[in-house]
Amino acid sequence: DLVVNGLSSDYNIKTGVYSSGNTISSWGMKLTAGTGTGAGGADVTPPTINNGYNNYNVIPSIYTLVASRPSSTNMDMDANPDVTGSHFTTTYDIYASSVQPAGTYEGRVKYILTHPHTNAPSTINDIDAAFAAAGKMKVYEEGGNSYYAMQDMDSQICSFVSGTGASTATQLVDLRDSKLYWVAKLADGKCWMTQNLDLDIGGTNTAPLNSNNTDISTTASGSGVHNNTGGYAVDGNNVWTWTPTNTAITANHTISGTSVSNWANSSVAPYSVEGGDVYYYTSNNSNNDSTFNSLAECATNSHTKTDCQHYHRGNHYNWTAAIATNNSNGISNNYTNAANSICPKNWRLPVATNSGQSIYEFGDLLYTYYGITKAKYNTSNITNSIEYANGGFVNICKAPLRFVRSGNVNNSMLEGAATFGIYWSSTVARNDGAYFLYFNSSSVWPSYNYDRSYGRSLRCVAR
């Protein structure tokens, strides 16, 4: 979005793109700053775009904030008839491909006055609407589908959403590899991913991981910042890029466990496993989830596509990869939190605990949902398990949390898939460990810690 006090002449803004095969068309808008009296009134009809070519059905249905006036601007034409820059004269063009028929085309553009996003209405009840209220632009995908970007999340967007739970959910796109993720505002008041991260670090289809698209600090060194542990470079614009020593290992391993080559259990180097398109659909079965090897297979077994998407296994990462460093050896300041992660920019890993034993984001989240845990936490021993309340095991797996029993990679094998779930936090533990959430059918450990070389799942929370 662009927020300015005025516009220079001939400012061009792209408002839509469609691409399919060799056909590429886009709409452009040229704005010229108004210098007149503002007389003549304004059309306050909600915006629409109509095209005279009735066979062309990919007209954008979303709108981009191109300029705004400060809320203090006096828009009372009678009291202030000469408000410079409060209106615009506009021309707009269609750029057509060579295969579009020749002829005359007509279009109409209308405008709507929106409130500044810092004063968003209190009736917003889902994240998608909150992005719109913040003036964010959707990303156009093949086929005309569009999504807001994970990287465009900010703290105000989450605060705009008045409700919590599954009704607030939307899909966002990760600009690094164009994968989609369900996110929701949960009962702890924070916005969480409600499916597992599936980023292939170092993969050919993944953009370079830098501080513009990834949760990477622009500070070179310091407490909790690991840019100085290798693999980092900075350019003249203070953009930090992390190049992992290892790329994601492709291994379509099964529940029984097929060997994952090149994974050294004692290694402090980054490793991740791209486990294939596998879904562990939760059920009331306390032993194992239903397992499907494709979205289509899951969706044809009496499950909705949306539900199945939430239960994608995602990738498994050792903690070194999770915090975006090439060597986690020596990172042992107990209870500190890594500043970097492979979460998208503006998202981070959850905090498991701190030196004062007062922050337990996994534990706090579960306690806010009645029926998952009886107690908030046992501060006398942060590695103690918490007993489920009635229905707790089912509730941790179903909407809106939808934690997945994706197991972990240990000893070059996938173990516990569809039986237990285990999720890294950003929190350091001594003796080469790190804190994580672990749960099975009988108990949950919100802040257990153990060897950081194991491959585990990731869920990110908005900053």
Side-chain angles (χ1 to χ4, degrees):
D1 60 311
L2 174 69
V3 180
V4 294
N5 291 327
L7 292 174
S8 60
S9 61
D10 297 336
Y11 190 90
N12 293 287
I13 194 80
K14 183 186 293 184
T15 59
V17 174
Y18 174 72
S19 175
S20 178
N22 295 321
T23 302
I24 299 177
S25 298
S26 64
W27 285 258
M29 186 178 296
K30 181 176 289 185
L31 301 180
T32 303
T35 57
T37 64
D43 187 348
V44 295
T45 305
T48 59
I49 297 179
N50 299 313
N51 191 300
Y53 182 42
N54 58 18
N55 291 327
Y56 199 80
N57 60 4
V58 292
I59 301 168
S61 60
I62 62 173
Y63 303 90
T64 304
L65 175 67
V66 294
S68 72
R69 298 295 297 172
S71 59
S72 59
T73 301
N74 187 348
M75 302 302 287
D76 185 338
M77 294 302 176
D78 293 328
N80 189 9
D82 189 9
V83 184
T84 301
S86 64
H87 73 283
F88 307 101
T89 57
T90 304
T91 60
Y92 102 104
D93 305 294
I94 297 175
Y95 300 91
S97 70
S98 60
V99 299
Q100 189 164 352
T104 300
Y105 301 93
E106 296 180 356
R108 184 171 68 242
V109 179
K110 297 182 180 180
Y111 303 93
I112 185 171
L113 178 66
T114 59
H115 291 285
H117 77 272
T118 52
N119 296 318
S122 59
T123 55
I124 295 176
N125 55 17
D126 65 77
I127 293 175
D128 202 71
F131 268 83
K136 301 298 183 181
M137 184 175 69
K138 286 190 174 181
V139 179
Y140 280 78
E141 297 290 310
E142 187 71 25
N145 295 323
S146 55
Y147 306 90
Y148 291 109
M150 295 282 290
Q151 285 81 355
D152 281 339
M153 172 63 83
D154 62 39
S155 59
Q156 286 185 321
I157 289 175
C158 195
S159 68
F160 288 166
V161 182
S162 57
T164 61
S167 63
T168 69
T170 192
Q171 281 184 296
L172 302 178
V173 63
D174 187 341
L175 297 179
R176 298 172 296 181
D177 56 9
S178 297
K179 291 179 180 177
L180 296 173
Y181 295 99
W182 281 99
V183 302
K185 184 174 182 177
L186 300 181
D188 62 348
K190 299 173 183 177
C191 288
W192 289 73
M193 290 173 56
T194 53
Q195 69 179 87
N196 294 355
L197 187 68
D198 193 36
L199 180 75
D200 300 339
I201 62 170
T204 56
N205 295 321
T206 303
L209 305 183
N210 60 47
S211 52
N212 286 337
N213 60 26
T214 304
D215 181 39
I216 291 174
S217 171
T218 56
T219 303
S221 62
S223 177
V225 180
H226 307 306
N227 292 355
N228 56 341
T229 58
Y232 279 91
V234 62
D235 65 16
N237 296 315
N238 201 35
V239 175
W240 286 83
T241 299
W242 175 54
T243 303
T245 53
N246 301 311
T247 58
I249 301 167
T250 300
N252 192 17
H253 45 289
T254 63
I255 293 176
S256 60
T258 301
S259 176
V260 180
S261 61
N262 300 324
W263 188 294
N265 240 24
S266 60
S267 175
V268 293
Y271 280 95
S272 73
V273 170
E274 197 288 301
D277 197 23
V278 178
Y279 300 79
Y280 298 139
Y281 192 92
T282 192
S283 65
N284 293 339
N285 185 338
S286 62
N287 296 317
N288 287 292
D289 293 331
S290 301
T291 303
F292 304 102
N293 292 313
S294 70
L295 180 61
E297 181 184 351
C298 179
T300 56
N301 281 270
S302 302
H303 307 310
T304 69
K305 178 181 178 180
T306 296
D307 278 343
C308 290
Q309 288 168 333
H310 282 87
Y311 295 110
H312 191 271
R313 179 167 65 190
N315 283 6
H316 291 85
Y317 307 90
N318 69 358
W319 192 71
T320 306
I323 64 167
T325 187
N326 279 340
N327 187 345
S328 64
N329 189 32
I331 302 175
S332 58
N333 190 2
N334 206 25
Y335 303 131
T336 61
N337 292 288
N340 297 347
S341 78
I342 57 171
C343 292
K345 181 179 177 64
N346 296 322
W347 297 74
R348 59 173 174 80
L349 293 177
V351 175
T353 185
N354 67 0
S355 58
Q357 298 185 357
S358 60
I359 300 175
Y360 315 94
E361 284 190 297
F362 284 128
D364 291 347
L365 176 65
L366 300 184
Y367 180 69
T368 58
Y369 284 94
Y370 177 79
I372 294 182
T373 59
K374 291 181 177 179
K376 188 171 185 178
Y377 212 43
N378 181 350
T379 58
S380 65
N381 186 342
I382 60 176
T383 60
N384 275 2
S385 65
I386 296 178
E387 185 179 353
Y388 287 120
N390 292 335
F393 170 71
V394 174
N395 290 333
I396 198 174
C397 294
K398 73 177 185 180
L401 301 179
R402 290 188 167 104
F403 280 106
V404 180
R405 292 195 283 175
S406 44
N408 66 194
V409 174
N410 173 30
N411 227 3
S412 299
M413 306 285 283
L414 176 67
E415 62 180 15
T419 302
F420 62 79
I422 188 163
Y423 290 82
W424 284 122
S425 77
S426 65
T427 309
V428 179
R430 292 193 183 99
N431 301 321
D432 297 325
Y435 288 92
F436 52 82
L437 162 69
Y438 174 91
F439 72 94
N440 58 28
S441 60
S442 60
S443 296
V444 56
W445 288 257
S447 293
Y448 200 80
N449 76 80
Y450 196 60
D451 194 330
R452 61 184 60 163
S453 66
Y454 282 54
R456 290 162 179 156
S457 302
L458 294 186
R459 289 280 176 96
C460 304
V461 60
R463 285 195 175 276

